[in-house]
Amino acid sequence: MRLSRRRASGAGLIVAALAVSLLTTAPAGSASASPSASSPPPASSPPAVPAATADGFASVDALGQNGTTGGAGGAVVTATTTAQFLGHISRPEPLVVQVSGTITLPTGSRDGMHPVASDKTIVGLGSTARLTGGGLNIGLPASDGVTSPPPNAVHNVIIRNLSFDGATDDLVNIQMFSHHIWIDHNDFSDGDDGAVDIKRGSDFVTVSWNRFHDHDKTLLLGHDDDNAAQDRGRLRVTYHHNHFDASDQRNPRVRFAEPVHVYNNYYRDNSYGVASAMDAGVMLEGNYFHSVNNPARVDFSGDLGRLAARDNILVECNHPVETRGSVVEPRTYYAYTPHRAAEVPAVVPAGAGVGKI
């Protein structure tokens, strides 16, 4: 992969650890950006216990779906071949699809993107389950003319404990008002485009405990500056406890969405962490940034975004976190208990990725 680091040098280097903001009270369920403050050095912490059910936005009851349960209640099948896997993930009924070993996804007529039907759990067995050569598409075919959730929108999908690499397009793409998706404890690398892209009105998604590495354009949330008709008021996503291990950019890059909750992620050696644009509202909380050129930005491309921040630590970063405006408080939607940012360098690498559930 050709990874651009775009490092600044000289006086811009911030060598001390910085914690960015304690929450200040704001009206109407919003959190305002606030100034930086000091934070304690990293501390050891007991390993986190993997969640048995979806949390974050994927846990919210909405759009006729009570949380995200995937294929629960359906048959449990095991795929060891490409034909078995593609047959299982396209079936209409609830199904738990276990992946054993390496499965190569063909390029075919869809540029290697293969559709996943609603009510599916796709889970790797052990620590060696792998999908290579192609990616998974969660959503109906793209259409600019559809501006509200269709009744047949893909929903209720769980993807866990799988390694993805070598796709000719995205590793995972979520689109066209798909909702209640949980992407958890996976390993993503070496895709040609996005690792996990979420766009075109998709909603109530959690991306948690994944490792992203050897990849350039990692997480896109909202694909275009002109797509407000589909995206505004949607794209509610939680990103937590992910290990951005030298994944270069878009960790994530956000348009229109609010709130987007980015908490307890470990960033190491990235060009930039989070970008908020087109009036998106991002809550940045309890993250640890080590050697990141731009940890978080609101002045990026397109219209300015909004970003509120609390308890983030920056080490050897070239620029501070950019904050602007107020953001809807994630606790308006769901309860959660974050780790302290100082615990993140121990907790996240120990728990993120495959073989941990």
Side-chain angles (χ1 to χ4, degrees), residues 50 61 72 107 210 260 344:
D61 295 349
T107 301
N210 302 286
V260 179
V344 164

Side-chain angles (χ1 to χ4, degrees), residues 239-281:
Y239 299 95
H240 76 83
H241 292 92
N242 297 291
H243 187 186
F244 296 107
D245 190 5
S247 56
D248 192 47
Q249 58 178 312
R250 299 184 180 178
N251 299 297
R253 190 242 198 270
V254 183
R255 297 177 172 96
F256 297 112
E258 185 181 13
V260 179
H261 193 192
V262 181
Y263 80 93
N264 283 167
N265 300 285
Y266 182 38
Y267 293 84
R268 186 196 67 83
D269 193 25
N270 317 102
S271 173
Y272 74 83
V274 181
S276 177
M278 302 307 296
D279 199 39

Side-chain angles (χ1 to χ4, degrees), residues 7-15 317-318:
R7 297 286 188 221
S9 61
L13 186 64
I14 300 173
V15 295
C317 296
N318 292 317

Side-chain angles (χ1 to χ4, degrees), residues 14 18 24 39 57 64 75-76 85 131 190 200 219 236 244 248 253 289 294 301:
I14 300 173
L18 299 177
T24 57
S39 179
F57 273 112
V76 178
F85 178 75
L131 300 178
D190 193 29
R200 293 185 177 273
L219 303 172
R236 285 164 284 204
F244 296 107
D248 192 47
R253 190 242 198 270
F289 297 88
N294 275 291
S301 65

